[in-house]
């Protein structure tokens, strides 16, 4: 825990807030942004250098096939390059997955509440969303999700860890669920926050997909790798799925800056994952403090915490904003708060304590 580890705390306190959130009041001081699950660390100097160098060629189109990045990812994950498909953020890849598999009359199943983009991208393709409520413990109800499969189901999202609750699906229950899914239904394991998991029972989708042609793993450079502003994500899936993704890709959808920054980030992975380790320690501190204050906090495996507040949700978010941190309210349900800089987390914890 960072409180017990002064070096770590000093390190986190040293993170410059390179992009503050919007001011709480028009003329007020800028608030910390803890509303989008971004990484508070600025890009590594080496990554910045790569981006700056790539910017000299802004008059040129990027490599449409994302060759270097695809090869780097294939090597990193030990999969054939033909199993890798890159896209404009993982949300872009998710949209391609729906486009490639589903249209009007087809059904897309996902837990709810989960990532807000699922209903939006389902709607774009004309598919019908089938939302299966989370259990009272805020976790995926995989039995109910399997029961919801019909002959119109084309795609199922399993968000692991789930946004916004931070909860996870473990290996045995996921395998049991996958055994119940027909082979012509694609299961997308959305692992945007994979690097923040510290529970050995949570399976790595890349291990799961190998034996299951109808499983596709979705990952992003936006969270652990800190490149949210560059919009680059990727899928790992068997050849037919990856090929369908390439066919539905927006041409030149990943900029050269993004491709090169992603490659540089993979090569600097140790340092970036060290930062993730610091954020995980900070997460423990935030959760422990909230629980000590009396809040019920579900075990989180991502870079955010979830508080179910019901009718008090909006008032709580407003109180936080007044205190100097912008968080993400889901009106009538709860709030999601990103683990950020130590100072931002401290402001949030103080506001949470005052609100109880
Ligand atoms: N999946 C989940 C579960 C997310 O929370 C997010 C970002 N909020 C994404 C995918 C999309 O990330 P990006 O498009 O930046 O890769």
């Amino acid at each position: 825990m960072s409180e017990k580890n002064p070096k770590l705390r000093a390190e986190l306190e040293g993170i410059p807030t390179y992009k503050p959130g919007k001011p709480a009041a028009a003329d007020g001081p800028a608030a910390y942004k803890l509303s989008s699950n971004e990484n508070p660390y600025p890009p590594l100097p080496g990554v910045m250098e790569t981006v700056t160098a790539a910017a000299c060629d802004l008059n040129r189109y990027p490599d449409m096939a994302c060759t270097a990045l695809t090869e780097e990812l294939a090597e990193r994950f030990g999969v054939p390059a033909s199993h890798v498909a890159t896209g404009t953020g993982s949300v872009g890849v998710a949209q391609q997955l729906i486009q490639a598999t589903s249209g009007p009359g087809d059904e897309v199943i996902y837990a709810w509440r989960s990532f807000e983009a699922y209903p939006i991208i389902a709607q774009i393709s004309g598919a019908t969303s089938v939302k299966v409520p989370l259990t009272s413990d805020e976790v995926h109800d995989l039995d109910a999700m399997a029961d919801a499969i019909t002959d119109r189901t084309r795609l199922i999202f399993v968000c692991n860890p789930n946004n916004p609750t931070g909860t996870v699906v473990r290996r045995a229950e996921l395998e049991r669920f996958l055994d119940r899914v027909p082979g012509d239904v694609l299961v997308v394991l959305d692992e945007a926050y994979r690097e923040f998991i510290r529970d050995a029972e949570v399976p790595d989708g890349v291990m799961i997909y190998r034996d299951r042609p109808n499983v596709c793993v979705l990952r992003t450079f936006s969270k652990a790798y800190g490149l949210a502003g560059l919009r680059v994500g990727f899928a790992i899936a068997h050849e037919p799925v990856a090929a369908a993704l390439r066919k539905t890709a927006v041409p030149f959808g990943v900029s050269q800056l993004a491709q090169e920054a992603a490659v540089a980030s993979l090569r600097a992975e140790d340092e970036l994952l060290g930062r993730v380790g610091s954020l995980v320690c900070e997460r423990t501190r935030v959760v422990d403090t909230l629980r000590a204050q009396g809040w019920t906090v579900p075990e989180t495996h991502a870079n955010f915490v979830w508080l179910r507040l019901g009718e008090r949700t909006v008032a709580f978010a407003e109180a936080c904003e007044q205190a100097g941190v912008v968080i993400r309210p889901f009106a009538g349900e709860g709030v999601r708060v990103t683990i950020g800089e130590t100072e931002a987390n401290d402001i949030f914890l103080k506001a949470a304590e005052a609100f109880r």
Side-chain angles (χ1 to χ4, degrees):
M1 251 184 297
S2 62
E3 278 211 309
K4 292 180 190 153
N5 184 341
K7 186 167 166 283
L8 174 60
R9 194 176 168 93
E11 185 196 322
L12 283 161
E13 275 167 353
I15 302 172
T17 323
Y18 69 104
K19 189 150 188 214
K22 61 180 177 170
D27 55 350
Y32 285 99
K33 186 173 175 226
L34 300 181
S35 53
S36 302
N37 300 341
E38 293 154 334
N39 191 322
Y41 287 94
L44 289 174
V47 173
M48 277 308 290
E49 275 167 31
T50 304
V51 169
T52 310
C56 295
D57 292 325
L58 285 182
N59 53 319
R60 304 290 177 191
Y61 284 103
D63 170 9
M64 192 158 88
C66 292
T67 314
L69 176 56
T70 302
E71 283 171 3
E72 194 80 24
L73 285 167
E75 198 184 318
R76 161 72 178 75
F77 289 101
V79 300
S82 61
H83 286 202
V84 178
T86 51
T88 316
S90 58
V91 74
V93 183
Q95 182 172 347
Q96 286 169 246
L97 281 166
I98 295 198
Q99 247 169 13
T101 56
S102 319
D106 295 332
E107 293 173 351
V108 177
I109 298 175
Y110 48 88
W112 200 250
R113 179 166 284 278
S114 190
F115 182 33
E116 301 142 275
Y118 300 153
I120 298 168
I121 54 183
Q123 196 185 16
I124 292 170
S125 74
T128 302
S129 281
V130 178
K131 298 178 174 180
V132 178
L134 296 170
T135 68
S136 54
D137 293 333
E138 314 275 14
V139 299
H140 279 62
D141 189 341
L142 290 180
D143 287 336
M145 287 175 75
D147 291 343
I149 297 171
T150 70
D151 55 11
R152 294 180 161 196
T153 307
R154 296 286 169 273
L155 197 70
I156 303 175
F157 284 105
V158 176
C159 189
N160 202 27
N162 188 48
N163 175 5
T165 55
T167 49
V168 285
V169 166
R170 293 193 169 78
R171 185 172 291 107
E173 51 178 335
L174 181 62
E175 296 278 13
R176 250 195 330 271
F177 168 74
L178 291 172
D179 287 342
R180 285 187 65 189
V181 178
D184 60 350
V185 174
L186 186 66
V187 179
V188 181
L189 302 178
D190 184 345
E191 299 186 335
Y193 303 94
R194 166 76 208 165
E195 298 82 0
F196 295 90
I197 293 173
R198 292 294 179 271
D199 180 331
E201 285 306 304
V202 183
D204 179 339
V206 181
M207 297 298 147
I208 300 266
Y209 109 97
R210 290 177 197 272
D211 302 324
R212 295 188 183 265
N214 66 330
V215 168
C216 171
V217 184
L218 205 54
R219 298 272 181 100
T220 181
F221 283 93
S222 297
K223 310 297 177 182
Y225 293 87
L227 298 179
L230 281 178
R231 316 302 307 123
V232 53
F234 61 98
I236 294 181
H238 287 265
E239 185 94 39
V241 178
L245 282 171
R246 280 190 279 277
K247 276 190 198 141
T248 49
V250 173
F252 307 111
V254 186
S255 75
Q256 197 64 30
L257 268 61
Q259 293 182 35
E260 294 192 21
V263 170
S265 298
L266 284 170
R267 291 183 183 160
E269 194 173 50
D270 287 352
E271 198 170 349
L272 290 169
L273 295 182
R275 291 174 162 192
V276 169
S278 301
L279 290 168
V280 167
C281 291
E282 194 60 2
R283 171 178 84 193
T284 306
R285 182 177 77 90
V286 169
V287 170
D288 288 352
T289 310
L290 286 169
R291 286 183 179 156
Q293 289 173 3
W295 295 99
T296 302
V297 190
E299 199 64 51
T300 175
H301 299 257
N303 66 339
F304 51 83
V305 292
W306 170 249
L307 294 179
R308 192 165 276 284
L309 291 158
E311 294 312 310
R312 298 194 301 157
T313 295
V314 173
F316 182 85
E318 280 170 5
C320 287
E321 193 161 337
Q322 283 307 315
V325 286
V326 178
I327 63 169
R328 176 72 171 89
F330 296 86
E333 294 179 55
V335 295
R336 187 193 67 203
V337 187
T338 308
I339 304 298
E341 306 85 338
T342 301
E343 193 192 350
N345 301 333
D346 283 344
I347 295 171
F348 162 65
L349 289 170
K350 224 170 138 190
E353 186 169 34
F355 195 85
R356 272 210 67 77

